[in-house]
């Protein structure tokens, strides 16, 4: 109620401040018509149902975005800065609404929503605002003798209209962080939030039309039955994050022909199989794609480590948001000598974090839906031995923070990707065995290593392959603006955050601006070809081998 009252009063205030004449007189780039602004304003009021986006509307949305892009609407630095500032303003003015929506969808605590969703997006937007001028400037590259009077540049140009498909485990962050990169790079964007987090999706659908340009940026919420028609749309880039849960007869959508009918099964979207199908579908239409798919992230705990700091860092990373995170540790590979101490320390941490009954804790979340709840519960019951937790309440989609020991590599929880507050603990005899175990699996999104021995850390970092690596902590590397975050192999392709998001949504165009001088030299490359000319060019190439290794006389 507090969130609805806050939002309603805010919009009533804005309605009084902005008249139709005010909207018509807003500065360049041109704003949508007053009628459209007020329609967006009405849609943004909480408590009203979010309108479904039908296929014909999706076609219209894409056409409008393409017209806006071709008109050069997004090219100017001032426009991009204004949109980025609007993203920050939206998050600041509607913090209470985002907290409420995520609380309804995931039982997400206010602290987690503000820190891991809102602040993260604001940091990305502010970083882009502060660096946009530098990012947009052409980059000069090294010249040689033949181009000493020319300009050799790399120009970053926007791709066009991009589709951003968000995931439910971080529904605000995974929609808006890529959007920041798309805006900074000068693209138009269509955002498709996950239907699994319906309240958050509806909130984004209501707020974005009010704060961002109505022609360039859109949110679509399409029903499953309508997605086969939406598949015919053509985008210039598709950015897909995470995993969605789909049930019987549900349809998976994601990239130009990125829609598959999956029958008689409930499974996560975003694993290696689905990622492969996504890439194949994109390749058929030459649509570039960024895939952040996740996977099972190994966490090695060495015998030389500080258990008192290791345990709380692992426990926080695994159990925040009820274990529903792409970057959370998926399982522990623990040295035999420290297993008992580590498990006991983890148990103490859970007691300290969530109390004797986590169900009553305001700091503990819930599963996003019954499909994921049932899947996680079934794997939990068929794997290893429950040492801590294990309680489930289906009516509340509640699974207690659970630690499994005596887990075998063949157990279901080790064979399938899962989201949930369950932490399997396996034992290894040394770092060599841990590295071998990790390398036998598909390449994960993250590898974590806890050790006070720098040589052990170095070996894990260099002898395993993953999208990211973090020593003596977890998840934080995926939140840093300056570090690219993305997968490799089965865990995805491409990356984002900060400048890397800008580059993901840009085409780096090679530009050579030549002068018309020195034709007395360049004529040597023209037909008719003569041995004398070839000798001169070969000689020039020989002279340049020690510097740049190619013929400078061209």
């Amino acid at each position: 109620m507090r969130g609805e009252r806050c939002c309603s009063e805010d919009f009533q205030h804005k309605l009084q401040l902005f008249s139709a004449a005010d909207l018509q007189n807003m500065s360049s780039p041109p704003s949508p018509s007053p009628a459209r602004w007020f329609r967006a304003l009405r849609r943004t009021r909480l408590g009203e149902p979010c309108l479904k986006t039908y296929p014909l509307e999706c076609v219209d949305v894409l056409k409008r975005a393409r017209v806006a892009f071709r008109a050069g609407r997004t090219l100017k630095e001032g426009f991009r800065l204004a949109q980025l500032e609007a993203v920050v303003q939206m998050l600041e003015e509607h913090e209470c609404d985002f907290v409420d929506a995520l609380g309804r969808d995931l039982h997400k605590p206010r602290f987690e929503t503000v820190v891991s969703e809102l602040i993260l997006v604001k940091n990305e937007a502010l970083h882009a605002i502060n660096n946009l001028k530098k990012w947009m400037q052409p980059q000069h590259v090294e010249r040689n003798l033949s181009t000493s009077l020319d300009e050799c540049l790399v120009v970053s140009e926007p791709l066009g209209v991009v589709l951003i498909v968000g995931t439910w485990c971080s529904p605000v962050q995974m929609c808006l962080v890529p959007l920041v990169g798309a805006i900074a790079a000068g693209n138009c964007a269509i955002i498709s939030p996950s239907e699994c987090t319906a309240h958050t999706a509806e909130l984004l659908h209501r707020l974005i039309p009010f704060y961002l340009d109505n022609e360039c940026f859109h949110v679509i919420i399409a029903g499953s039955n309508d997605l086969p028609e939406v598949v015919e749309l053509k985008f210039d880039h598709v950015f897909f994050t995470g995993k969605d849960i789909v049930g019987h007869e549900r349809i998976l959508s994601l990239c130009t022909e990125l829609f598959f009918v999956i029958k008689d099964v409930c499974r996560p979207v975003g694993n290696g199989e689905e990622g492969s199908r996504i890439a194949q579908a994109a390749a058929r239409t030459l649509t570039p794609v960024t895939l952040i798919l996740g996977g099972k992230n190994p966490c090695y705990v060495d015998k030389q480590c500080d258990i008192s700091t290791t345990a709380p860092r692992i426990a926080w990373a695994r159990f925040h948001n009820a274990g529903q995170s792409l970057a959370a540790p998926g399982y522990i590979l623990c040295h035999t000598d420290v297993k008992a101490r580590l498990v006991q320390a983890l148990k103490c941490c859970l007691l300290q974090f969530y109390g004797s009954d986590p169900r009553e804790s305001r700091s503990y979340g819930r599963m996003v839906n019954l499909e994921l709840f049932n899947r996680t519960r079934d794997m939990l019951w068929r794997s290893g031995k429950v040492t801590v937790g294990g309680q489930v309440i289906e009516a509340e989609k509640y699974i207690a923070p659970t630690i499994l020991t005596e887990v075998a590599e063949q157990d279901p929880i080790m064979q399938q990707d899962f989201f949930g507050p369950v932490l399997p603990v396996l034992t290894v005899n040394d770092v060599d065995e841990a590295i071998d175990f990790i390398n036998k699996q598909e390449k994960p999104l993250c590898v974590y290593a806890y050790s006070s021995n720098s040589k052990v850390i170095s070996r894990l970092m260099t002898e395993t392959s993953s999208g990211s690596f973090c020593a003596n902590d977890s998840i934080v590397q995926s939140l840093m603006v300056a570090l690219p975050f993305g997968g490799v192999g089965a865990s995805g392709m491409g990356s984002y955050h900060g400048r890397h998001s800008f580059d993901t949504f840009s085409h780096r165009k090679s530009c050579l601006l030549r002068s018309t001088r020195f034709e007395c030299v360049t004529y040597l490359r023209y037909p008719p070809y003569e041995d004398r000319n070839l000798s001169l060019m070969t000689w020039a190439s020989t002279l340049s081998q020690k510097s740049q290794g190619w013929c400078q006389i061209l």
Side-chain angles (χ1 to χ4, degrees):
M1 292 298 295
R2 178 188 173 189
E4 294 181 6
R5 184 165 58 251
C6 170
C7 184
S8 178
E9 292 175 355
D10 182 53
F11 277 102
Q12 291 294 335
H13 178 63
K14 285 183 170 59
L15 277 169
Q16 295 171 1
L17 291 179
F18 287 95
S19 65
D22 293 326
L23 293 172
Q24 287 177 333
N25 294 328
M26 293 184 76
S27 59
S28 179
S31 297
S33 67
R36 185 170 293 144
W37 265 88
F38 281 102
R39 283 200 300 272
L41 210 57
R42 287 196 297 271
R43 286 210 319 269
T44 313
R45 301 174 71 175
L46 291 180
E48 298 178 4
C50 183
L51 298 179
K52 180 181 178 181
T53 309
Y54 291 97
L56 289 177
E57 292 179 285
C58 293
V59 173
D60 179 62
V61 161
L62 184 57
K63 286 181 179 178
R64 286 167 53 194
R66 289 214 177 278
V67 169
F69 179 76
R70 288 169 182 163
R73 194 163 183 156
T74 63
L75 296 181
K76 293 182 179 180
E77 179 187 355
F79 176 88
R80 303 184 197 186
L81 288 173
Q83 302 304 303
L84 292 171
E85 290 167 354
V87 171
V88 175
Q89 182 183 2
M90 177 181 70
L91 296 175
E92 290 177 344
E93 293 183 353
H94 294 277
E95 177 182 307
C96 54
D97 297 323
F98 283 107
V99 169
D100 177 69
L102 285 163
R104 295 186 185 194
D105 288 329
L106 291 160
H107 201 267
K108 201 164 191 173
R110 178 185 182 87
F111 184 93
E112 288 184 6
T113 294
V114 173
V115 172
S116 66
E117 300 269 6
L118 306 185
I119 289 180
L120 183 62
V121 177
K122 284 194 283 187
N123 286 345
E124 289 278 344
L126 292 172
H127 181 72
I129 290 170
N130 293 333
N131 292 276
L132 185 59
K133 182 180 290 291
K134 179 175 64 177
W135 294 349
M136 291 179 64
Q137 290 176 350
Q139 295 180 342
H140 292 263
V141 299
E142 185 178 358
R143 293 182 293 183
N144 57 44
L145 180 62
S146 66
T147 59
S148 58
L149 299 179
D150 306 326
E151 283 191 88
C152 300
L153 308 170
V154 177
V155 176
S156 295
E157 63 179 19
L159 296 174
V161 181
V162 302
L163 173 65
I164 298 171
V165 182
T167 184
W168 50 268
C169 57
S170 298
V172 177
Q173 177 204 144
M174 291 299 192
C175 283
L176 297 188
V177 170
L179 177 63
V180 166
I183 293 172
N187 297 278
C188 294
I190 297 174
I191 307 166
S192 178
S194 172
E195 288 184 286
C196 292
T197 46
H199 295 92
T200 305
E202 291 174 1
L203 183 61
L204 290 171
H205 184 268
R206 292 166 179 153
L207 293 181
I208 284 179
F210 180 74
Y211 284 90
L212 300 185
D213 186 282
N214 281 191
E215 299 301 316
C216 298
F217 306 104
H218 307 269
V219 179
I220 61 172
I221 301 179
S224 298
N225 294 332
D226 301 316
L227 291 181
E229 297 180 53
V230 182
V231 72
E232 299 176 3
L233 303 181
K234 179 74 173 73
F235 297 94
D236 297 297
H237 190 94
V238 170
F239 190 104
F240 169 69
T241 57
K243 307 182 178 186
D244 265 323
I245 303 302
V246 295
H248 179 73
E249 300 288 336
R250 292 284 304 276
I251 302 174
L252 164 65
S253 70
L254 290 169
C255 174
T256 330
E257 295 181 21
L258 215 45
F259 298 80
F260 306 98
V261 178
I262 301 176
K263 297 184 178 181
D264 302 318
V265 66
C266 178
R267 63 189 300 176
V269 173
N271 56 17
E273 179 184 347
E274 295 302 338
S276 176
R277 297 172 71 182
I278 290 167
Q280 291 173 18
R284 287 197 295 270
T285 54
L286 298 180
T287 301
V289 84
T290 299
L291 306 174
I292 312 295
L293 301 178
K296 302 185 76 65
N297 302 317
C299 177
Y300 173 66
V301 179
D302 190 47
K303 62 180 179 181
Q304 299 181 51
C305 76
D306 183 358
I307 295 295
S308 63
T309 58
T310 296
R313 294 182 182 186
I314 294 177
W316 168 79
R318 177 66 260 182
F319 299 109
H320 89 282
N321 198 30
Q324 298 165 113
S325 170
L326 288 174
Y331 60 93
I332 289 178
L333 293 175
C334 178
H335 196 284
T336 307
D337 294 347
V338 296
K339 174 188 173 183
R341 286 190 293 134
L342 177 63
V343 171
Q344 181 60 35
L346 289 169
K347 182 178 180 180
C348 293
C349 287
L350 294 178
L351 182 64
Q352 181 181 0
F353 288 177
Y354 308 115
S356 57
D357 185 1
R359 179 190 173 200
E360 302 296 328
S361 173
R362 298 176 60 186
S363 300
Y364 189 66
R366 298 293 186 271
M367 308 302 287
V368 69
N369 57 30
L370 284 176
E371 289 89 346
L372 184 62
F373 169 86
N374 291 329
R375 188 170 183 275
T376 304
R377 178 193 59 188
D378 294 344
M379 283 193 292
L380 164 63
W381 286 352
R382 294 186 291 123
S383 304
K385 174 185 175 182
V386 175
T387 301
V388 178
Q391 300 84 7
V392 299
I393 301 176
E394 181 174 356
E396 299 181 16
K397 296 174 290 188
Y398 167 78
I399 297 179
T402 301
I403 298 174
L404 296 179
T405 56
E406 301 179 19
V407 178
E409 187 177 351
Q410 297 74 27
D411 285 347
I413 207 160
M414 294 300 297
Q415 293 298 312
Q416 304 173 46
D417 290 346
F418 75 98
F419 276 93
V422 181
L423 181 59
V425 179
L426 294 81
T427 56
V428 292
N429 294 315
D430 52 37
V431 65
D432 294 309
E433 187 178 345
I435 291 172
D436 290 341
F437 186 95
I438 294 170
N439 289 336
K440 283 193 303 181
Q441 321 302 320
E442 295 282 6
K443 293 181 180 181
L445 188 61
C446 314
V447 167
Y448 300 114
Y450 288 82
S451 177
S452 55
N453 187 331
S454 60
K455 292 183 179 179
V456 170
I457 296 297
S458 179
R459 288 197 60 191
L460 263 296
M461 183 172 63
T462 58
E463 297 180 29
T464 64
S465 179
S466 59
S468 64
F469 177 85
C470 185
N472 296 313
D473 210 339
S474 300
I475 292 186
V476 290
Q477 88 287 352
S478 70
L479 309 177
M480 297 185 64
V481 174
L483 288 177
F485 184 69
V488 59
S491 57
M493 63 180 71
S495 61
Y496 71 117
H497 279 323
R499 174 63 193 255
H500 307 282
S501 294
F502 179 88
D503 291 340
T504 289
F505 291 106
S506 299
H507 167 61
R508 292 172 60 79
K509 182 166 64 178
S510 302
C511 301
L512 175 61
L513 310 181
R514 298 220 68 180
S515 72
T516 56
R517 306 177 191 180
F518 295 108
E519 186 63 20
C520 60
V521 176
T522 57
Y523 87 93
L524 295 174
R525 70 190 183 192
Y526 304 146
Y529 302 125
E530 298 180 3
D531 290 342
R532 175 177 174 275
N533 294 352
L534 178 60
S535 297
L536 286 172
M537 296 181 72
T538 303
W539 171 75
S541 177
T542 303
L543 292 178
S544 65
Q545 283 178 359
K546 293 184 179 180
S547 56
Q548 293 169 314
W550 56 284
C551 185
Q552 295 183 347
I553 205 169
L554 293 176

